[in-house]
Amino acid sequence: MDGLQIPLEHILVLAATLFSCGLMGLMLRRNIIFMLMSLEVMLNSAALAFVAAGARWGQADGQIIFLLILSVAAAEVAVGLGLVLQIQRRFKTLDMDQVNRLRG
Amino acid sequence: MNTLWLIPFFPLLSATALILSGGRMPRQLAALLGAGSVGLAAISVVMVARTYLAEGEVQQLTLWTWIAVDNFTPRIAFYVDGLTIVMMSVITGVGFLIHLYSIEFMWEDESFCRYFAYMNLFVAAMLLLVMADNLLLLYLGWEGVGVCSYLLVGFWYRDPLNGKAARKAFVVTRVGDTAMALGLLLLFTELGTLDIQAMMATANSTWQVGDTLPIIATALLLGGAVGKSAQLPLHTWLPDAMAGPTPVSALIHAATMVTAGVYLIARNYELFLLAPPTLQAVAWIGVLTLLLAAFTALAQHDIKRILAYSTISQIGYMFLALGVGAFASGIFHLMTHAFFKALLFLAAGAVIHCLHHEHNIFRMGGLRTRLPVVFWSFLIGSAALAALPFTSGFYSKDAILLTAWTAPGNGPWLWAGGLLGALLTSIYSFRLVFIVFFGAAQTEPDRQPGWKMSGPLILLCVLSLVGGWFALPLAGVLPNKGHAGISHVVEYISIATPLLGLVIAYLLFLGKQVSIASLVASPSGQALQNFWLNGWRIDKLYDTLLVRPFKSITHWWRNEPVDLLYNAMVTIARWGHGRLVTLQTGELRWYATSIVFGLVLLLAIMLRNAS
Amino acid sequence: MMENLFYVASLVALVATVAALTRPNAAHALIYLIVSLLAVAVLFFLMGAPFAAALEILIYAGAIMVLFVFVIMMLNLGEAGDTRERQWLSPRNWIVPGIMAALLLLELLLALRHTPVLTSGVAVDPKTVGLTLFGPYVLAVEIASMLLLAGLVGAYHLGRRFIVRREGRS
């Protein structure tokens, strides 16, 4: 089935907004799980921008980049959640403000 | 002759062996090496002297080229003429007797090997000094004897006072050595060579009498001589150098090292003849020193310090002789002084040795009957020192005084100063004799000197008496101003003055017919006595003028203000670090926020540039 | 009508995302996030990228989010966690992040002002994607698989002791 013809600007605006929301969540939340979730939101918005670009030219490259972003997100989440488990074990809390042992 | 090199080689070899043995050599072997090497050197000197006297030719030997840079090529080479023969004979002859004496004197000391190692090293360095044919090699010997003097004065290093005295000797002579080094540099730059004979010839052709450059160069060399020979103003080290063993004082600070300055001036006499103002200075330094030291010796009560000031005074006479142009007389007095001063020091050493290390003359007395050999040695030595008629000292000192009278300009003043000095010399030397050897005995000697100590004493007695009859082979080597045509009055006064001094000393210290006790006890008398006892407070003067300002400057700078700049850089870096480190909170959210902040700024700039 | 669907889906995605990021309860937030991802999948479909849409649902919503759910359930935060989160979400904490994010959004919007372009409207079917993937982009595929391997090993290693310990204690 064919797609719609949508002004690219609108999609990119949506992507930008989603990105800012994710960024806001990253800066706002203290719980590490929510920070990871915000990261996912940001990755998703970037992927949206790529697919939109691919749709503009009618080529598959956008979706391929999307696939790669997806694998990056998957690997990152896997390792990140493992780290979350370790943090919970060592610091007995998920508050990232308490995990500041690298302070100078 | 190719045996010239043996002369310094024997003592040098012995010194090396003694040093390498690390003090583990048995005493007999060390004594044999120590004294024997100097004895062998003395025999070599006799052979060389015989050849010289027979043939009358200067002997030279070049060993190797020391430095070869451009046209600067000093060699290790020896030059032996009459002056060298005289010096070598004194060094090895008197040196051998002193080494022999030391065997008994130092027998119970635990550092026997070290002592002889240093003594032999000293003799080797001194021989290098007098045999050198260029000023650089002479300077090597000069520094060598300075080092050995330091090592020997501070021989009993466990007492920090001895170390202090040794350091003082070294530092004060160093001031002179620096002046001498500057003089050497100047001479090399102007004349292109440091070989003494070549230098003399070039100097005579390049410079006129009274030019500035020879005056400066000779003044610098004079600075070195003043330091090494303990003249005003660099004489303060010699009395303190009596902290070393007595044979050391005899060898180094009476007979040989302190005469190195006199030798330097005599050897370079052509240079000094080109600079009359310097010669004037030499004469006046001589006179002032001999008077200052004579007054000081009058008030001392340590037997070795009296002899030390006496040495300073007698070297003043040698400087006086050089200053008025009587170079040969100066060297003649050097030789006779070596005899009787070594005799006096060795006799004093015997007194100290036999009275279990007592130094204060007021605690001695009546030793005439208890130590007869020592008494006669002291008597003959003091007679020669005072220049009583027909002793060796008489001939040499008289020659100097009469030549001083005929010197142009201030001749009579110089003569008067020398005469007063002779009077004082007689007074203080016989004061010493009468107090130590006559009167009631305060301390009993606990032993008698053996043959190794008495033998050299007797030999030196003989030399002090007959030494004046030697004709030194200095004709044609050193110029000498004669003293013909002097009125007989002057001669008789010169001869009679020491006898007058003897009479005064007798009246004051032996017969006690005249008493100056009340004069001495008065406040001004006490002040004068203290003043002379402390060497005219010159040490204190140097302390206030030089040592204290130096120390206060170093104290003021002890925090290294020059480092302030570098420390400031460090402080600023640390401060910056302190401020920046607060940004490193370790919190993830803070880092994220700062990334966003940077991103916002970056995008703002890009947008501004793009639009 | 399809255009309206587009804007509705965008709105849903936006609202769901904002909701996801502001819930104190982690499980709730996750559900909202899944809704957001589904909405984005609809957007993909509308743009003519059905393969991307399918992948979004399968992997992003279906695997990654499920991973999150597992971990949250394992951590067992409970009521105390909720209260804490609410404390941390007090209005005072919104100021600085809000300003920064707003500034960034402003700048991005400014940058996007002059792009009057339309999407092509042609759907890119999975076959084309497959051919391009294993054609010019085969190297990227290999690297991506290595990345996933690294992620696998890392996750196993990091999670190992936690599981053992928990099992030991319980």
Side-chain angles (χ1 to χ4, degrees):
Chain A
M1 169 186 169
D2 276 344
L4 294 172
Q5 287 202 301
I6 311 160
L8 193 62
E9 194 180 356
H10 295 185
I11 307 181
L12 291 180
V13 162
L14 174 65
T17 317
L18 283 178
F19 186 81
S20 329
C21 288
L23 206 55
M24 168 94 149
L26 184 63
M27 289 193 279
L28 180 65
R29 306 300 301 251
R30 272 200 206 179
N31 196 326
I32 183 66
I33 305 263
F34 286 95
M35 286 169 126
L36 282 174
M37 270 200 270
S38 319
L39 282 180
E40 295 310 310
V41 168
M42 289 200 279
L43 280 168
N44 187 38
S45 71
L48 173 60
F50 268 108
V51 172
R56 182 247 180 279
W57 295 100
Q59 292 175 345
D61 300 61
Q63 296 182 52
I64 290 171
I65 304 281
F66 170 75
L67 182 59
L68 296 176
I69 292 179
L70 217 52
S71 21
V72 165
E76 169 231 326
V77 163
V79 173
L81 286 175
L83 284 174
V84 166
L85 292 180
Q86 288 293 341
I87 289 176
Q88 163 67 8
R89 187 177 144 246
R90 283 177 205 281
F91 291 91
K92 308 289 185 280
T93 175
L94 290 174
D95 178 5
M96 282 319 277
D97 282 357
Q98 310 244 337
V99 183
N100 61 354
R101 292 241 277 230
L102 278 180
R103 71 177 301 141
Chain B
M1 273 219 20
N2 15 8
T3 55
L4 269 185
W5 61 279
L6 282 177
I7 300 176
F9 176 71
F10 283 126
L12 195 57
L13 182 67
S14 161
T16 316
L18 283 164
I19 291 176
L20 289 176
S21 79
R24 281 187 290 272
M25 213 184 259
R27 249 162 240 226
Q28 286 81 353
L29 183 58
L32 186 67
L33 270 181
S37 60
V38 181
L40 282 175
I43 295 176
S44 311
V45 168
V46 167
M47 287 174 13
V48 170
R50 266 186 21 187
T51 321
Y52 179 79
L53 288 173
E55 293 169 17
E57 261 179 23
V58 164
Q59 299 178 23
Q60 289 181 295
L61 175 66
T62 306
L63 288 180
W64 69 82
T65 307
W66 185 2
I67 304 174
V69 175
D70 260 12
N71 54 346
F72 179 58
T73 53
R75 302 158 307 180
I76 306 287
F78 300 137
Y79 177 88
V80 171
D81 63 359
L83 176 59
T84 321
I85 302 261
V86 171
M87 296 296 297
M88 285 195 303
S89 316
V90 167
I91 296 169
T92 50
V94 175
F96 172 66
L97 292 174
I98 294 180
H99 276 72
L100 192 59
Y101 176 99
S102 307
I103 298 177
E104 184 174 330
F105 189 82
M106 299 293 288
W107 190 256
E108 287 132 21
D109 195 291
E110 55 173 358
S111 309
F112 193 77
C113 287
R114 185 160 61 95
Y115 175 84
F116 275 102
Y118 291 162
M119 290 287 269
N120 282 347
L121 193 61
F122 169 82
V123 171
M126 190 75 204
L127 284 170
L128 268 183
L129 200 161
V130 301
M131 288 167 77
D133 99 320
N134 59 63
L135 281 180
L136 199 62
L137 187 58
L138 191 151
Y139 195 60
L140 175 71
W142 190 275
E143 295 294 307
V145 299
V147 168
C148 292
S149 165
Y150 166 78
L151 290 171
L152 284 165
V153 168
F155 184 70
W156 290 310
Y157 57 85
R158 294 221 162 82
D159 183 352
L161 286 176
N162 295 341
K164 210 168 149 206
R167 276 199 305 279
K168 182 173 175 180
F170 196 75
V171 170
V172 175
T173 49
R174 205 88 194 93
V175 175
D177 294 347
T178 314
M180 182 170 162
L182 287 174
L184 290 189
L185 288 172
L186 181 63
L187 283 171
F188 178 70
T189 334
E190 291 301 318
L191 298 176
T193 175
L194 285 176
D195 290 351
I196 297 180
Q197 303 305 315
M199 207 171 65
M200 298 295 154
T202 322
N204 271 328
S205 56
T206 324
W207 288 329
Q208 304 293 326
V209 173
D211 271 357
T212 332
L213 277 172
I215 295 180
I216 299 178
T218 48
L220 288 170
L221 287 181
L222 175 62
V226 158
K228 199 60 110 191
S229 295
Q231 297 296 288
L232 210 62
L234 294 175
H235 65 284
T236 49
W237 64 273
L238 191 54
D240 287 340
M242 296 297 117
T246 312
V248 166
S249 309
L251 183 61
I252 298 187
H253 307 127
T256 40
M257 186 180 94
V258 293
T259 56
V262 179
Y263 171 76
L264 180 72
I265 298 181
R267 180 53 92 190
N268 296 308
Y269 72 90
E270 299 211 22
L271 268 181
F272 280 87
L273 282 178
L274 286 170
T278 316
L279 278 180
Q280 275 281 318
V282 171
W284 278 104
I285 287 178
V287 166
L288 289 172
T289 310
L290 71 91
L291 283 177
L292 185 147
F295 278 116
T296 315
L298 272 180
Q300 300 295 322
H301 46 70
D302 181 328
I303 188 172
K304 283 178 76 174
R305 277 182 95 98
I306 297 179
L307 293 176
Y309 280 108
S310 163
T311 307
I312 300 178
S313 184
Q314 294 304 306
I315 300 179
Y317 272 104
M318 295 179 217
F319 267 57
L320 173 60
L322 294 174
V324 299
F327 294 101
S329 306
I331 299 295
F332 185 39
H333 192 64
L334 191 157
M335 187 184 78
T336 57
H337 174 261
F339 295 150
F340 59 71
K341 196 44 71 64
L343 174 64
L344 283 171
F345 264 110
L346 291 185
V351 168
I352 294 173
H353 189 65
C354 299
L355 257 61
H356 31 87
H357 298 287
E358 180 61 66
H359 279 235
N360 190 342
I361 55 174
F362 291 110
R363 286 206 274 270
M364 307 174 187
L367 292 177
R368 180 171 49 113
T369 45
R370 289 158 181 79
L371 296 172
V373 176
V374 182
F375 167 65
W376 283 104
S377 314
F378 232 108
L379 194 60
I380 294 176
S382 302
L385 175 58
L388 293 183
F390 306 114
T391 55
S392 59
F394 165 72
Y395 290 106
S396 52
K397 193 178 283 188
D398 226 45
I400 296 175
L401 284 178
L402 294 176
T403 318
W405 173 266
T406 59
N410 304 317
W413 285 109
L414 295 172
W415 172 82
L419 198 67
L420 179 59
L423 180 67
L424 292 171
T425 307
S426 186
I427 297 180
Y428 70 68
S429 44
F430 283 104
R431 164 180 179 259
L432 179 57
V433 171
F434 292 147
I435 293 181
V436 172
F437 291 96
F438 291 81
Q442 314 252 359
T443 319
E444 292 292 331
D446 58 359
R447 55 179 132 181
Q448 290 290 320
W451 69 270
K452 288 195 275 281
M453 284 169 87
S454 312
L457 284 175
I458 296 175
L459 263 174
L460 284 170
C461 283
V462 171
L463 282 172
S464 303
L465 287 175
V466 310
W469 300 338
F470 288 155
L472 292 184
L474 292 175
V477 179
L478 287 178
N480 207 21
K481 280 268 203 65
H483 46 88
I486 301 185
S487 77
H488 288 297
V489 176
V490 175
E491 277 194 44
Y492 290 149
I493 296 182
S494 308
I495 297 175
T497 314
L499 291 168
L500 177 61
L502 169 59
V503 168
I504 295 178
Y506 178 82
L507 291 176
L508 284 175
F509 298 110
L510 189 58
K512 306 274 172 71
Q513 278 86 347
V514 178
S515 174
I516 53 166
S518 55
L519 197 63
V520 170
S522 72
S524 51
Q526 280 292 313
L528 195 60
Q529 184 179 49
N530 265 330
F531 185 62
W532 284 343
L533 177 65
N534 289 318
W536 297 52
R537 300 267 158 87
I538 291 194
D539 266 331
K540 193 125 203 303
L541 180 70
Y542 287 160
D543 189 50
T544 326
L545 271 186
L546 297 172
V547 176
R548 258 167 227 252
F550 185 74
K551 274 192 168 171
S552 66
I553 290 178
T554 54
H555 184 75
W556 181 63
W557 280 72
R558 75 188 179 286
N559 287 328
E560 313 252 11
V562 179
D563 274 351
L564 267 182
L565 178 62
Y566 307 106
N567 290 341
M569 292 202 298
V570 170
T571 319
I572 290 176
R574 283 235 177 96
W575 173 85
H577 161 76
R579 301 288 79 74
L580 282 177
V581 117
T582 52
L583 287 180
Q584 205 171 357
T585 57
E587 290 174 23
L588 199 55
R589 291 195 309 144
W590 170 261
Y591 291 157
T593 316
S594 52
I595 292 175
V596 174
F597 180 68
L599 189 60
V600 165
L601 277 180
L602 206 57
L603 279 177
I605 294 172
M606 283 173 66
L607 279 175
R608 175 186 306 232
N609 285 347
S611 64
Chain C
M1 203 245 7
M2 298 294 260
E3 286 79 9
N4 293 343
L5 183 55
F6 174 79
Y7 290 111
V8 166
S10 317
L11 192 64
V12 168
L14 202 57
V15 168
T17 308
V18 170
L21 295 176
T22 53
R23 299 299 106 202
N25 189 319
H28 296 177
L30 271 176
I31 304 296
Y32 277 113
L33 192 53
I34 292 175
V35 168
S36 161
L37 292 174
L38 291 177
V40 169
V42 169
L43 285 176
F44 285 162
F45 198 72
L46 288 173
M47 279 193 279
F51 185 61
L55 278 183
E56 173 93 358
I57 298 176
L58 278 173
I59 296 176
Y60 226 128
I64 297 177
M65 289 304 130
V66 169
L67 205 58
F68 266 101
V69 170
F70 284 165
V71 169
I72 287 175
M73 288 205 252
M74 227 193 321
L75 289 176
N76 223 357
L77 297 169
E79 268 304 311
D82 279 3
T83 331
R84 230 179 25 229
E85 294 287 341
R86 239 174 251 118
Q87 252 183 324
W88 290 341
L89 278 176
S90 61
R92 208 170 58 85
N93 296 336
W94 285 71
I95 302 176
V96 170
I99 294 177
M100 303 245 80
L103 275 176
L104 188 64
L105 182 58
L106 188 65
E107 285 175 348
L108 287 173
L109 292 178
L110 277 175
L112 288 172
R113 261 174 308 150
H114 307 293
T115 46
V117 184
L118 293 175
T119 55
S120 65
V122 176
V124 181
D125 57 334
K127 183 169 169 198
T128 325
V129 174
L131 283 174
T132 323
L133 193 59
F134 287 95
Y137 284 97
V138 66
L139 188 60
V141 173
E142 298 304 324
I143 294 176
S145 57
M146 292 238 263
L147 177 67
L148 288 171
L149 178 65
L152 177 72
V153 171
Y156 166 75
H157 180 76
L158 286 170
R160 189 163 45 106
R161 253 184 248 136
F162 185 84
I163 295 171
V164 168
R165 280 293 173 89
R166 287 283 290 234
E167 278 181 2
R169 252 185 278 138
S170 68

